[in-house]
Every structure is written in structure tokens, then in C-alpha cells.
Amino acid sequence: MSLFRSRVSSSIVSTMGEELGSFASASTTTSSSRAKTRSTWPSILRWIPTSTDHVIAAEKRLFSLVKTPYVVEQVNIGSGPRGSKTRWFRSKSDEPRFINTVTFQSKEDSPTLVMVHGYGASQGFFFRNFDALASRFKIIAIDQLGWGGSSRPDFTCKSTEETEAWFIDSFEEWRKEKNLSNFILLGHSFGGYVAAKYALKHPEHVQHLILVGSAGFSSESDSKSEWLTQFRATWKGAFLNHLWESNFTPQKVVRGLGPWGPDLVRRYTTARFGAYSTGQVLTEEESKLLTDYVYHTLAAKASGELCLKFIFSFGAYARKPLLQSASEWKVPTTFIYGFEDWMSYEGAQQARQHMKVPCEIIRVPQGGHFVFIDNPAGFHSAVFYACRMYISPNLETEHLPEGLTLA
């Protein structure tokens, strides 16, 4: 979700102008000079090709930073639910769908932790966490259907219910193919919304739920959304609301910029995880590899990203807030938020009041919405604490690690 909130730097416009000027002048040179300058065009004016294969290749480059051995597989979830003649999401195609899945080597009998990414992201965003978490869990990370290296079918959903089913049902088919049960499910941001909705529908498979900076708890009717009503009354607010309802996504900006798309992504990653980081900034190598990976995940065919307007109204307010289902919760839950997360933990506090299952809210210092990148060590401590009874039953009463706070 936070990718949606990034702003396009005005300097990009001037850069584009300069490069277009160079292109115009080059077109008036002799044929020999054209041949000479043509070799420089790929680094200046070139539409960078992308595809699911490019995403997976970029993922492999990013994972060169991970030391734990892992296996990548494309899990076939078929062209429709098992035993049904119905095809996925009104599709007329018999083409099977695949979920890009990475499983990390772990100690025998380690509890299984399934990790689900957020909106505008993919499982590679957890690259700083795999080594530490794999020391105590069997880690399985996935790209949700329509994102990352997974299949990107045409998005045909027309309602909130159909859109939720897109993610919940495809995840359930993936679970069946992997023959998983009694696992810990971790979801970040929009992935937290999906994980929670899945646990509400299939609680028998989820041992514990970890929601990291989860979206989807508050609704537009929340009293704190008065600012949104006032903003919508302005011409800027009306324009942005129109873009939202027209399903204009951040990814369309990246694609529309063509050869300048990678530079926009680079500016975002170096700013968000560098100059404006709330914690541990990326190294030069991390920044380069993550930028390459993020570009390909955003620029590939539009699919799952088109869920945005059906799940959230303008302002990132859920159309079917999780708060309304809090009393139906059947799975013990831990919420994790960075101190600087723009996603408020107050929604989790309100939900906890209605839950009939154990619930904790942990806040991690020096962390924003991407707390697992900003403060990896703090995030790992929070996850270990949340799962203490599964990792070491004798440590169920272990004290909260230093620096973390309970809300």
C-alpha cells in the first residue's frame, strides 16, 4: 500500500526533457554519428522489457543476498477449484494458474511459517528476514496470484466479494497442493487483510495469525475520516477520487513512464529505504538489487493490482472492514506495527476488544510500514516472541524483548 503513497519527483520531468532534447538533436546527425549514438540509447531511451520470467530472474538476483538454501517452485493450482467445472474468476481459459513459491531449508520439526506480501510488493521484500527466521521456522514465502512471479491472469472481478475470493480461494488451492495444515500465517499490509480473511474462512488450517502493519480494519465511516470528506470537496480530492474509482494504479505510472520507469522506482527505493528510512538503510548492493526486482514486479502485466478499488475506497479505507468480523475470530493473533507505521495500530486495539481469542499488539521501534526492512532485528524479535509457544513451549512466559512494547 505504501507504494501508492510515493510521489513522482519533479526532477523526473526535467530529466525527461533533457533526454528527449538529446534524442531530437541526435536525429539530425549523420548516419555514422547515428550508429555511434545508437549504442548509448539502451541506457537512456529504452523500454525495459519485463515479464514473469524477468520477475523470477530479478528475484534470483535479489536472493543472492540470502545465505539459507532454498527451493523455488511454481505450484499449479489448476484452472479452477478441484472437482468443479467452473474456471477461475469467470475465465474461459483452461490454462492452469501457478503460485510462485520459495521454501527455505530449516531444522527438522520446525514450525511452518507462511509469509504473504502486501499490495504493490512480492515475497522478495522479505529478503532481509529469511535467514534469521529460517533458523527457527520452516519458511515458505509466496507471490499472491496476479503478482510477482505468479501467474497474472486477466482480472475479471466485479465486486468486493469476488475480489476477496480471488485471493482467498487461490491461496486455499495452493495450500491443498502443498498439503499444509496447522501453520503460522504471516501477512503484511494488504497481505494481512488477505491472511485474516483466509483465517476467518479456513481457521482449521491456521495455528497462529501474525498481521504486520495490516490494512483493512478501519472504514470510511470512521470518525477520523472527516478529513477525507473535506478533501474530496476540493478539486484535487475529486480528481484523485476519480482516478481511484477508475482503478488507476501506481503500477500504471511506472509502465506509462516507459524508459523512465526504472529511474522512478530507483528514486523511490533509495528515498524510502535510504534518506527517509526510519531505521537501517539499504546498502548500495541491496538498493540496486531491490530496485531491479521492484521495477519488474510493478511493470509486468496488470492483474492482482486491479483489486485496489474493490477492496478499499479512496484513502485506503476497507469496504468490508475486518473490525466487523472481529467477534468471529477463531485463531490466536499477533499484530506487529513499526512505531512510524502510517497504518494505525488503533484499529487492532478496537478489534481486540471484540475478539474471543488470545491477541497481542507489538510495536517495534525504528520501523515504518516496512518494519521488516527498516528494523530486521526488531521485527525478528517480535515474530519469535509472538511464536514463543510453538518454538520453545518452555519459554511461553518469556519476557518481551528489550525495545519492543505492547499496546
Side-chain angles (χ1 to χ4, degrees):
M1 295 295 297
S2 60
L3 287 178
F4 183 78
R5 293 173 180 247
S6 62
R7 295 178 296 177
V8 180
S9 170
S10 59
S11 62
I12 293 178
V13 177
S14 60
T15 301
M16 291 169 63
E18 293 172 3
E19 292 175 356
L20 284 173
S22 300
F23 173 69
S25 62
S27 65
T28 61
T29 59
T30 62
S31 59
S32 60
S33 63
R34 286 196 194 101
K36 183 177 180 180
T37 59
R38 188 177 296 124
S39 63
T40 67
W41 285 7
S43 62
I44 299 176
L45 288 170
R46 179 165 65 96
W47 290 75
I48 308 299
T50 192
S51 64
T52 300
D53 289 340
H54 283 88
V55 173
I56 293 175
E59 173 186 280
K60 183 177 181 179
R61 292 191 289 271
L62 179 63
F63 281 12
S64 66
L65 301 172
V66 180
K67 298 178 182 178
T68 306
Y70 64 90
V71 175
V72 180
E73 58 181 325
Q74 295 292 312
V75 178
N76 188 344
I77 62 171
S79 57
R82 292 185 184 183
S84 172
K85 295 182 179 180
T86 304
R87 294 294 173 255
W88 288 119
F89 324 116
R90 296 204 202 92
S91 174
K92 296 180 180 178
S93 172
D94 289 332
E95 179 183 354
R97 313 301 188 194
F98 297 89
I99 299 296
N100 187 38
T101 306
V102 181
T103 303
F104 291 85
Q105 188 178 92
S106 62
K107 297 178 183 177
E108 191 175 351
D109 298 327
S110 296
T112 299
L113 175 64
V114 177
M115 305 180 73
V116 182
H117 63 83
Y119 184 89
S122 299
Q123 40 106 338
F125 272 64
F126 295 115
F127 74 97
R128 275 186 161 183
N129 314 118
F130 293 136
D131 285 331
L133 295 181
S135 68
R136 302 193 187 183
F137 300 98
K138 177 183 179 181
I139 299 294
I140 305 178
I142 68 165
D143 287 332
Q144 297 191 68
L145 183 66
W147 269 316
S150 292
S151 297
R152 294 180 176 238
D154 293 338
F155 190 83
T156 56
C157 301
K158 302 296 183 183
S159 68
T160 300
E161 292 75 15
E162 289 183 354
T163 304
E164 288 183 353
W166 166 286
F167 298 105
I168 296 170
D169 292 351
S170 59
F171 183 86
E172 172 60 5
E173 290 302 311
W174 171 84
R175 183 204 64 79
K176 291 176 181 176
E177 289 299 322
K178 292 293 292 179
N179 193 28
L180 291 176
S181 191
N182 203 36
F183 56 90
I184 301 164
L185 180 58
L186 181 151
H188 170 243
S189 195
F190 172 69
Y193 178 89
V194 173
K197 290 285 184 174
Y198 175 83
L200 282 165
K201 187 174 182 179
H202 301 284
E204 68 277 11
H205 301 305
V206 183
Q207 187 177 34
H208 195 96
L209 191 60
I210 302 177
L211 305 180
V212 183
S214 182
F217 277 89
S218 57
S219 67
E220 197 173 323
S221 60
D222 191 310
S223 59
K224 294 184 179 180
S225 67
E226 292 180 5
W227 70 270
L228 183 61
T229 302
Q230 297 173 358
F231 180 64
R232 271 206 190 118
T234 67
W235 71 266
K236 290 182 180 179
F239 175 70
L240 291 175
N241 184 67
H242 173 73
L243 288 180
W244 186 285
E245 294 299 331
S246 300
N247 228 350
F248 187 87
T249 66
Q251 291 88 333
K252 290 181 180 179
V253 175
V254 174
R255 296 186 194 103
L257 284 174
W260 297 280
D263 185 57
L264 173 62
V265 175
R266 180 188 60 78
R267 289 170 186 264
Y268 168 76
T269 54
T270 54
R272 170 57 186 84
F273 303 112
Y276 297 103
S277 173
T278 56
Q280 181 182 334
V281 301
L282 296 179
T283 66
E284 184 177 348
E285 183 180 17
E286 286 177 326
S287 181
K288 177 182 177 181
L289 294 174
L290 181 62
T291 295
D292 174 54
Y293 176 70
V294 172
Y295 170 73
H296 286 293
T297 62
L298 296 180
K301 176 187 173 182
S303 182
E305 74 190 62
L306 300 175
C307 73
L308 194 60
K309 80 165 190 174
F310 296 107
I311 299 294
F312 302 101
S313 61
F314 180 58
Y317 290 100
R319 298 189 185 277
K320 296 184 66 176
L322 289 167
L323 187 58
Q324 296 176 358
S325 306
S327 62
E328 303 169 23
W329 230 261
K330 294 181 175 64
V331 177
T333 301
T334 300
F335 294 91
I336 298 176
Y337 289 89
F339 275 18
E340 307 300 325
D341 196 336
W342 59 265
M343 197 72 74
S344 175
Y345 67 91
E346 294 177 355
Q349 289 181 314
Q350 295 174 25
R352 181 172 57 185
Q353 296 175 7
H354 303 282
M355 290 182 180
K356 301 181 179 67
V357 295
C359 175
E360 292 178 322
I361 303 173
I362 303 175
R363 301 188 68 201
V364 180
Q366 297 182 314
H369 192 53
F370 290 99
V371 60
F372 45 88
I373 294 179
D374 297 327
N375 185 355
F379 173 72
H380 303 152
S381 294
V383 173
F384 294 149
Y385 181 76
C387 301
R388 57 195 180 279
M389 65 181 298
Y390 313 113
I391 299 173
S392 301
N394 295 331
L395 297 179
E396 185 176 349
T397 58
E398 181 181 7
H399 296 297
L400 186 71
E402 184 178 355
L404 306 183
T405 61
L406 294 175

